[in-house]
Amino acid sequence: MHTNEKVAEVFLQESIRAFESMKQLADKTLIQLEDEHFHQALDGESNSMEILIKHMHGNMLSRWTDFLTTDGEKEWRNRDGEFESKSFNRQELISLWEEGWQVLFGTLQSLTADDVLSLVMIRGEANTVLQAIQRQVSHYGYHVGQMVFLGKHLASNSWTTLSIPRGQSKAFKPN
């Protein structure tokens, strides 16, 4: 295997790891919420957990379905509808959440080193596979951060931290 192929393989594996880490943070947030929390937003301009899940689901299905062969903004996607509350229950939302991630991971796991510099289209714009993946790492990281922030706010005093608890950093330093 040539150096470029090794780099491409490492990139694909690191991308999968980054998405897995994001999903894990969001999953650990979602399990801390009460059912009614899924429909609460901080204000009229903010998104609820329901909206964030629906938007990420729609984006994941659109971007990762037929990733190498069709534009990532599918004709069947109703992006505006993703931002309308439909009062889906917790189980329906978790099903959408899992479906989106399943499509993403299935696509990423199918890619090879030879695909990394191939061109894919997103909204009519050519991107290398590498660029398209990085675009989604950034996009999903942004929304997962919103989910964690909102979840922490909604869970309030019952929140269990997802990282090193305040005041305990020294316990996590290597000797």
Side-chain angles (χ1 to χ4, degrees):
M1 184 179 289
H2 294 100
T3 301
N4 288 347
E5 289 175 293
K6 289 179 188 174
V7 170
E9 282 296 324
V10 169
F11 169 76
L12 290 172
Q13 291 308 308
E14 177 55 24
S15 297
I16 291 169
R17 190 213 55 78
F19 283 121
E20 287 172 341
S21 177
M22 277 181 236
K23 184 178 184 302
Q24 185 178 53
L25 283 173
D27 288 346
K28 287 180 178 181
T29 296
L30 296 174
I31 63 171
Q32 294 190 57
L33 300 179
E34 302 295 330
D35 290 354
E36 63 270 11
H37 289 155
F38 282 81
H39 305 286
Q40 294 175 353
L42 295 178
D43 56 50
E45 288 299 311
S46 298
N47 292 319
S48 66
M49 208 61 76
E50 175 193 25
I51 297 299
L52 290 165
I53 289 170
K54 287 172 40 194
H55 172 58
M56 289 182 69
H57 170 261
N59 184 279
M60 288 177 184
L61 265 56
S62 186
R63 294 292 185 268
W64 300 103
T65 299
D66 301 324
F67 176 67
L68 294 174
T69 58
T70 64
D71 193 291
E73 189 64 23
K74 305 295 187 281
E75 290 181 23
W76 44 259
R77 182 179 182 199
N78 179 11
R79 185 181 181 283
D80 291 335
E82 296 164 13
F83 294 93
E84 297 170 3
S85 180
K86 302 288 188 198
S87 295
F88 289 140
N89 68 40
R90 178 189 205 107
Q91 283 311 110
E92 290 169 324
L93 291 168
I94 297 300
S95 291
L96 292 174
W97 178 250
E98 293 298 333
E99 179 186 30
W101 286 104
Q102 184 178 13
V103 171
L104 177 149
F105 287 124
T107 297
L108 281 180
Q109 290 164 352
S110 74
L111 297 175
T112 67
D114 290 338
D115 295 323
V116 172
L117 295 178
S118 298
L119 293 180
V120 295
M121 302 301 286
I122 301 175
R123 294 188 181 135
E125 178 184 317
N127 296 263
T128 63
V129 166
L130 187 149
Q131 290 170 315
I133 290 171
Q134 283 302 111
R135 176 179 177 151
Q136 297 316 111
V137 166
S138 176
H139 184 207
Y140 301 158
Y142 170 77
H143 286 309
V144 167
Q146 290 176 323
M147 293 172 79
V148 173
F149 177 82
L150 179 60
K152 185 175 182 178
H153 172 78
L154 294 170
S156 189
N157 293 335
S158 67
W159 178 258
T160 301
T161 188
L162 305 180
S163 63
I164 299 171
R166 289 182 189 199
Q168 297 184 26
S169 295
K170 288 182 182 179
F172 291 87
K173 287 185 178 178
N175 295 330

